[in-house]
Structures are given as C-alpha cells and as structure tokens.
Amino acid sequence: ERFLELQELVNDESVVLVKEVEKRDEEIQTLKDEIDDLKDQITQTEEERDTAKDKEDKLLEECERLATSVDDLEDQLKAAQRDITAYKIVLEEKGVNTDEVDGDEVVQAKAD
C-alpha cells in the first residue's frame, strides 16, 4: 500500500512537472516569436536606412548639379554684364544717354 501511495505521489508530481515543462515551452516559444519579430524590425529598419541613404545620395548629387548650374548661370550673367557695358560704350560713342537705355536699345546696339 505504501508503494501505491508513493507511486500516486510520483504520478501527481510528474503531472505537475509536465505542466511546468509545457508552460516553459510556451514561454520559450513566445520569446522566440518576439526575437523573430525584433529581427524583422531590424531588417525593416536597415532597409529604411538604406533607402534613406539612397535618397540622401541622390539629393546630394542633385545639389551638386544645381550648384554647377548656378555657377554656369553666374558666369553667363557676368559675361552678359560685360556685353552690356561694352554696348553701352558703343551707345555713348553714338551720343545716346545710357542712363535711360533699356534692354531693347542694347540689343539694337549689339545688332549694329
């Protein structure tokens, strides 16, 4: 009879231990799922970072292109200002008051 009591105690304890193991297994699986979710978030963040870096690189290229365009336009403006000064001199030599000269007269002087 004592043996049966002990066997029943062992069986009860086994049931408790099996339930505890199952509970731990569920906790482990939950943690693994959370780890997988975090890995996915890291991957997504890395992809977003890469996308942002690509956009930054394209914007920097565009800024460089625009800076070059601005430099070119500044050079063209300086050349145009030199031309206008030269044409005003031509007009002054013709007796025209250059203080009142507008763009059309400069164009006409250039044509002359």
Side-chain angles (χ1 to χ4, degrees), residues 16-70:
V16 168
L17 288 174
V18 166
K19 287 182 181 180
E20 185 67 27
V21 167
E22 288 173 351
K23 181 180 174 185
R24 297 289 182 201
D25 282 346
E26 288 176 11
E27 290 173 356
I28 289 170
Q29 187 57 48
T30 299
L31 289 172
K32 285 180 177 180
D33 291 345
E34 289 175 6
I35 288 170
D36 288 342
D37 288 346
L38 288 172
K39 286 179 179 178
D40 290 345
Q41 288 177 11
I42 289 170
T43 299
Q44 182 178 356
T45 301
E46 288 172 344
E47 290 170 356
E48 289 170 352
R49 183 197 63 218
D50 292 345
T51 299
K53 179 66 175 147
D54 289 344
K55 285 180 182 178
E56 179 186 18
D57 290 345
K58 288 177 183 176
L59 287 172
L60 286 173
E61 289 174 11
E62 181 68 9
C63 285
E64 289 175 14
R65 189 186 65 75
L66 289 173
T68 300
S69 294
V70 167

Side-chain angles (χ1 to χ4, degrees), residues 9-10 12 20-21 26 32 38 58 69-70 75 77 81 92 100-101:
L9 278 174
V10 167
D12 290 346
E20 185 67 27
V21 167
E26 288 176 11
K32 285 180 177 180
L38 288 172
K58 288 177 183 176
S69 294
V70 167
D75 291 344
L77 176 61
Q81 288 171 334
E92 286 173 356
E100 299 172 3
V101 172

